[in-house]
Amino acid sequence: MSGDGQVGIVLVSHSREVAVAVAELARGLAGGGTTAPVAAAGGTPDGGLGTSSELITRAAESVDAGAGVAVLVDLGSAVLTVKSLLAEGDELPEGTRLVDAPFLEGAVAAVVTASAGGDLDAVTAAASEAYGYRKE
């Protein structure tokens, strides 16, 4: 993994529509200018609910600019699918990391941080810190 480019973000949801909507929201909240590459990997290839290693792999490849790829997931089997791909070692781009973060808030924090030029560690930290966002 080189330091070229921005960190890419992959959003994995059991629903294509949810993944796409969260990606659009995160891009919109990242503000003006060029945002980091973001790809949605939602649902199954036939449009159903679930997760797809094929869609996740394609999404990760599409956002890989050499600075790493942060993968955020919505629910349990999405975590297992990404962990399985990471364990295989050659399915995802070098420098791909599963991020333990809330899906929506973490996605926004990750895209904002990556768009500002943050490295993979900074993107991961920003997304993970979203667990602490208080709403009261």
Side-chain angles (χ1 to χ4, degrees):
M1 176 178 68
S2 72
D4 300 339
Q6 293 176 307
V7 172
I9 312 295
V10 174
L11 303 176
V12 181
S13 173
H14 283 67
S15 164
R16 185 186 80 72
E17 292 81 5
V18 169
V20 168
V22 171
E24 289 175 7
L25 179 64
R27 278 190 210 99
L29 294 176
T34 304
T35 60
V38 181
T44 60
D46 65 359
L49 294 176
T51 55
S52 164
S53 57
E54 175 187 334
L55 294 178
I56 295 166
T57 300
R58 234 184 300 150
E61 290 169 354
S62 77
V63 299
D64 180 26
V69 176
V71 181
L72 287 87
V73 300
D74 63 356
L75 300 169
S77 65
V79 174
L80 297 175
T81 303
V82 173
K83 282 185 175 183
S84 175
L85 288 168
L86 288 169
E88 291 176 24
D90 62 348
E91 295 294 316
L92 296 172
E94 182 180 348
T96 299
R97 187 179 299 173
L98 174 61
V99 180
D100 183 15
F103 190 62
L104 175 58
E105 294 92 335
V108 171
V111 172
V112 168
T113 303
S115 297
D119 65 10
L120 186 56
D121 288 336
V123 169
T124 300
S128 296
E129 287 170 8
Y131 274 126
Y133 295 172
R134 303 288 305 164
K135 297 177 184 176
E136 53 183 13

